[in-house]
Amino acid sequence: DAGVIQSPRHEVTEMGQEVTLRCKPISGHNSLFWYRQTMMRGLELLIYFNNNVPIDDSGMPEDRFSAKMPNASFSTLKIQPSEPRDSAVYFCASTSIGYNEQFFGPGTRLTVL
Amino acid sequence: GDSVTQMEGPVTLSEEAFLTINCTYTATGYPSLFWYVQYPGEGLQLLLKATKADDKGSNKGFEATYRKETTSFHLEKGSVQVSDSAVYFCALRDSGGSNYKLTFGKGTLLTVNP
C-alpha cells in the first residue's frame, strides 16, 4: 500500500516567495494533519481536517499560512510570503476510524533564504 | 489540557546496553498511548502502542506498559543496537469521539555507539 505522499521533498526558496506544500493521504483515510518540526520548537501541529473540513487551525502561526483540502485525496499548505523563520520540516499525516495512530509522510524540508 | 512529558535527551549508549526513556502524561479522558520513532531524514513511524491500562505494547525488542496509576508509558529495550539510533516520541490520543488529534512529547534523541 502506498503511504502518505508529500511533495516536494525539498524546497529552497527566497524570502517573500510563495511556497506550496502538497500531501496525498492514504486512500480511505478521512483525517489529515499538518505538522512543523524545528530544533527549537520540536513537533507542532498546525492544522487538522476531518472529512475535508478544517477542525482545528489554532496551531497555524499567522495569516501567512493557509491550508486547504479540496477533496479526500489532496491537501496543500501554503506560505505567502515566506520568511527565513519558516524554515523547517513539514509533515503530513493521515488516519481514519478504526485506527488510533497517525501515519506520517516523509516530510518536506523547506529552506527560506 | 492533555500533555506528554518525556525525558530530556540526548541519550548516548553503547551497543547492547539497556535503554529506558521515561514518559508521563496528563489527560482529561482515558487515552491511548504511543511511541513513535524518527530515523534520520525520515518521517515518524509508529513503534508501539497501548490502548488500555496494563496493556504492554511491543515491537522490534522495544516494550512499554500502560501504567494508569502512575500515568506513565516508559519505553524499554534490553539490548540496543546501532540501528536504534533515532529520535523517540511519546504521544497520546485522548479518548472518545472523532478527535484523532495526537499530543506529542518533545522527543528524545538516542545515539547508540558500536
Short mmCIF file of all heavy atoms in Angstrom, two decimals, chain A residues 37-65:
data_model
loop_
_atom_site.label_atom_id
_atom_site.label_comp_id
_atom_site.label_asym_id
_atom_site.label_seq_id
_atom_site.Cartn_x
_atom_site.Cartn_y
_atom_site.Cartn_z
N GLN A 37 8.22 20.74 12.14
CA GLN A 37 9.25 20.30 13.08
C GLN A 37 10.49 21.18 12.94
O GLN A 37 11.05 21.33 11.86
CB GLN A 37 9.63 18.83 12.82
CG GLN A 37 10.58 18.27 13.86
CD GLN A 37 10.92 16.81 13.60
OE1 GLN A 37 11.10 16.38 12.47
NE2 GLN A 37 10.99 16.03 14.68
N THR A 38 10.91 21.74 14.05
CA THR A 38 12.15 22.51 14.12
C THR A 38 12.92 22.08 15.35
O THR A 38 12.36 21.49 16.28
CB THR A 38 11.88 24.03 14.21
OG1 THR A 38 11.14 24.28 15.43
CG2 THR A 38 11.08 24.54 13.04
N MET A 39 14.20 22.40 15.35
CA MET A 39 15.03 22.06 16.50
C MET A 39 14.56 22.80 17.73
O MET A 39 14.52 22.26 18.83
CB MET A 39 16.49 22.40 16.21
CG MET A 39 17.15 21.49 15.19
SD MET A 39 17.33 19.82 15.82
CE MET A 39 18.58 20.08 17.08
N MET A 40 14.19 24.05 17.53
CA MET A 40 13.84 24.89 18.68
C MET A 40 12.50 24.52 19.29
O MET A 40 12.36 24.49 20.51
CB MET A 40 13.80 26.36 18.26
CG MET A 40 15.16 26.94 17.92
SD MET A 40 16.21 27.05 19.39
CE MET A 40 15.35 28.32 20.31
N ARG A 41 11.51 24.22 18.46
CA ARG A 41 10.13 24.07 18.93
C ARG A 41 9.63 22.63 18.88
O ARG A 41 8.51 22.35 19.31
CB ARG A 41 9.22 24.99 18.14
CG ARG A 41 9.60 26.46 18.24
CD ARG A 41 8.78 27.31 17.28
NE ARG A 41 7.38 27.36 17.69
CZ ARG A 41 6.87 28.33 18.44
NH1 ARG A 41 7.64 29.32 18.87
NH2 ARG A 41 5.60 28.32 18.77
N GLY A 42 10.45 21.75 18.31
CA GLY A 42 10.01 20.36 18.23
C GLY A 42 8.93 20.19 17.19
O GLY A 42 8.88 20.89 16.18
N LEU A 43 8.00 19.26 17.46
CA LEU A 43 6.94 18.90 16.53
C LEU A 43 5.68 19.67 16.93
O LEU A 43 5.17 19.50 18.03
CB LEU A 43 6.70 17.40 16.61
CG LEU A 43 5.82 16.75 15.55
CD1 LEU A 43 6.47 16.86 14.19
CD2 LEU A 43 5.61 15.29 15.91
N GLU A 44 5.18 20.49 16.01
CA GLU A 44 3.99 21.31 16.29
C GLU A 44 2.86 20.94 15.32
O GLU A 44 3.10 20.88 14.12
CB GLU A 44 4.29 22.79 16.06
CG GLU A 44 5.43 23.36 16.85
CD GLU A 44 5.72 24.78 16.38
OE1 GLU A 44 6.46 24.94 15.38
OE2 GLU A 44 5.20 25.73 17.00
N LEU A 45 1.67 20.77 15.84
CA LEU A 45 0.51 20.56 14.99
C LEU A 45 0.04 21.92 14.48
O LEU A 45 -0.23 22.83 15.26
CB LEU A 45 -0.62 19.89 15.78
CG LEU A 45 -1.93 19.70 15.03
CD1 LEU A 45 -1.76 18.74 13.86
CD2 LEU A 45 -3.01 19.19 15.98
N LEU A 46 -0.05 22.03 13.17
CA LEU A 46 -0.50 23.29 12.57
C LEU A 46 -2.01 23.32 12.37
O LEU A 46 -2.69 24.27 12.76
CB LEU A 46 0.20 23.51 11.23
CG LEU A 46 1.72 23.58 11.26
CD1 LEU A 46 2.27 23.73 9.84
CD2 LEU A 46 2.18 24.72 12.14
N ILE A 47 -2.54 22.25 11.76
CA ILE A 47 -3.96 22.21 11.43
C ILE A 47 -4.35 20.76 11.19
O ILE A 47 -3.50 19.95 10.80
CB ILE A 47 -4.27 23.06 10.17
CG1 ILE A 47 -5.77 23.14 9.88
CG2 ILE A 47 -3.49 22.55 8.96
CD1 ILE A 47 -6.12 24.14 8.79
N TYR A 48 -5.64 20.44 11.46
CA TYR A 48 -6.09 19.14 11.00
C TYR A 48 -7.51 19.21 10.46
O TYR A 48 -8.29 20.09 10.83
CB TYR A 48 -5.90 18.05 12.05
CG TYR A 48 -6.92 17.94 13.15
CD1 TYR A 48 -8.01 17.08 13.03
CD2 TYR A 48 -6.74 18.62 14.35
CE1 TYR A 48 -8.90 16.94 14.06
CE2 TYR A 48 -7.63 18.48 15.38
CZ TYR A 48 -8.72 17.63 15.24
OH TYR A 48 -9.60 17.49 16.28
N PHE A 49 -7.76 18.28 9.56
CA PHE A 49 -9.02 18.19 8.83
C PHE A 49 -9.70 16.86 9.16
O PHE A 49 -9.04 15.83 9.26
CB PHE A 49 -8.78 18.21 7.31
CG PHE A 49 -8.19 19.48 6.77
CD1 PHE A 49 -6.81 19.68 6.81
CD2 PHE A 49 -8.98 20.44 6.20
CE1 PHE A 49 -6.26 20.84 6.30
CE2 PHE A 49 -8.44 21.61 5.67
CZ PHE A 49 -7.07 21.80 5.72
N ASN A 50 -11.02 16.90 9.27
CA ASN A 50 -11.84 15.68 9.28
C ASN A 50 -12.79 15.78 8.09
O ASN A 50 -13.50 16.79 7.95
CB ASN A 50 -12.66 15.56 10.57
CG ASN A 50 -11.99 14.72 11.62
OD1 ASN A 50 -10.87 14.25 11.44
ND2 ASN A 50 -12.65 14.53 12.73
N ASN A 51 -12.83 14.76 7.26
CA ASN A 51 -13.73 14.76 6.10
C ASN A 51 -13.61 16.06 5.30
O ASN A 51 -14.62 16.67 4.92
CB ASN A 51 -15.17 14.53 6.55
CG ASN A 51 -15.36 13.17 7.18
OD1 ASN A 51 -14.83 12.16 6.71
ND2 ASN A 51 -16.10 13.12 8.29
N ASN A 52 -12.36 16.48 5.10
CA ASN A 52 -12.02 17.64 4.27
C ASN A 52 -12.34 18.97 4.94
O ASN A 52 -12.14 20.03 4.32
CB ASN A 52 -12.71 17.59 2.91
CG ASN A 52 -12.57 16.26 2.21
OD1 ASN A 52 -11.65 15.49 2.51
ND2 ASN A 52 -13.49 15.97 1.31
N VAL A 53 -12.85 18.97 6.14
CA VAL A 53 -13.23 20.20 6.83
C VAL A 53 -12.18 20.52 7.90
O VAL A 53 -11.85 19.65 8.70
CB VAL A 53 -14.62 20.05 7.50
CG1 VAL A 53 -14.96 21.30 8.30
CG2 VAL A 53 -15.68 19.76 6.44
N PRO A 54 -11.66 21.77 7.92
CA PRO A 54 -10.70 22.13 8.98
C PRO A 54 -11.37 22.12 10.34
O PRO A 54 -12.39 22.77 10.53
CB PRO A 54 -10.22 23.51 8.57
CG PRO A 54 -11.29 24.05 7.67
CD PRO A 54 -11.92 22.88 7.00
N ILE A 55 -10.79 21.37 11.27
CA ILE A 55 -11.37 21.23 12.60
C ILE A 55 -10.65 22.11 13.61
O ILE A 55 -11.27 22.71 14.48
CB ILE A 55 -11.31 19.76 13.06
CG1 ILE A 55 -12.07 18.86 12.09
CG2 ILE A 55 -11.85 19.62 14.48
CD1 ILE A 55 -13.53 19.19 11.93
N ASP A 56 -9.35 22.16 13.52
CA ASP A 56 -8.57 22.92 14.49
C ASP A 56 -7.38 23.53 13.76
O ASP A 56 -6.50 22.81 13.33
CB ASP A 56 -8.11 22.00 15.62
CG ASP A 56 -7.32 22.73 16.70
OD1 ASP A 56 -7.02 23.93 16.55
OD2 ASP A 56 -6.99 22.08 17.72
N ASP A 57 -7.39 24.84 13.61
CA ASP A 57 -6.26 25.52 12.97
C ASP A 57 -5.54 26.42 13.96
O ASP A 57 -4.85 27.37 13.56
CB ASP A 57 -6.71 26.30 11.75
CG ASP A 57 -7.66 27.44 12.10
OD1 ASP A 57 -8.02 27.56 13.29
OD2 ASP A 57 -8.03 28.20 11.20
N SER A 58 -5.69 26.14 15.23
CA SER A 58 -5.11 27.01 16.25
C SER A 58 -3.58 27.00 16.23
O SER A 58 -2.95 27.90 16.76
CB SER A 58 -5.60 26.61 17.64
OG SER A 58 -5.25 25.27 17.93
N GLY A 59 -2.99 26.02 15.59
CA GLY A 59 -1.55 25.96 15.51
C GLY A 59 -0.95 26.69 14.32
O GLY A 59 0.28 26.80 14.22
N MET A 60 -1.77 27.20 13.45
CA MET A 60 -1.26 27.93 12.29
C MET A 60 -0.63 29.22 12.80
O MET A 60 -1.29 30.04 13.46
CB MET A 60 -2.39 28.22 11.32
CG MET A 60 -2.98 26.98 10.70
SD MET A 60 -1.90 26.24 9.48
CE MET A 60 -2.60 26.96 7.99
N PRO A 61 0.63 29.45 12.46
CA PRO A 61 1.38 30.55 13.08
C PRO A 61 0.78 31.94 12.85
O PRO A 61 0.74 32.74 13.74
CB PRO A 61 2.77 30.44 12.46
CG PRO A 61 2.85 29.07 11.90
CD PRO A 61 1.47 28.67 11.53
N GLU A 62 0.36 32.22 11.66
CA GLU A 62 -0.13 33.56 11.34
C GLU A 62 -0.81 33.51 9.98
O GLU A 62 -0.87 32.47 9.34
CB GLU A 62 1.03 34.55 11.36
CG GLU A 62 2.23 34.10 10.55
CD GLU A 62 3.49 34.86 10.95
OE1 GLU A 62 3.74 35.93 10.37
OE2 GLU A 62 4.21 34.37 11.84
N ASP A 63 -1.30 34.67 9.58
CA ASP A 63 -2.08 34.73 8.34
C ASP A 63 -1.29 34.36 7.10
O ASP A 63 -1.86 34.12 6.05
CB ASP A 63 -2.69 36.12 8.17
CG ASP A 63 -3.77 36.40 9.20
OD1 ASP A 63 -4.20 35.42 9.87
OD2 ASP A 63 -4.16 37.56 9.36
N ARG A 64 -0.01 34.32 7.20
CA ARG A 64 0.79 33.95 6.03
C ARG A 64 0.62 32.48 5.69
O ARG A 64 0.93 32.06 4.58
CB ARG A 64 2.27 34.24 6.31
CG ARG A 64 2.60 35.70 6.53
CD ARG A 64 4.10 35.92 6.66
NE ARG A 64 4.67 35.22 7.82
CZ ARG A 64 5.43 34.12 7.72
NH1 ARG A 64 5.70 33.59 6.54
NH2 ARG A 64 5.91 33.55 8.81
N PHE A 65 0.12 31.70 6.64
CA PHE A 65 -0.06 30.27 6.44
C PHE A 65 -1.54 30.00 6.14
O PHE A 65 -2.43 30.52 6.82
CB PHE A 65 0.33 29.49 7.70
CG PHE A 65 1.80 29.37 7.92
CD1 PHE A 65 2.58 30.48 8.24
CD2 PHE A 65 2.43 28.14 7.84
CE1 PHE A 65 3.93 30.36 8.46
CE2 PHE A 65 3.79 28.01 8.06
CZ PHE A 65 4.55 29.12 8.37
#
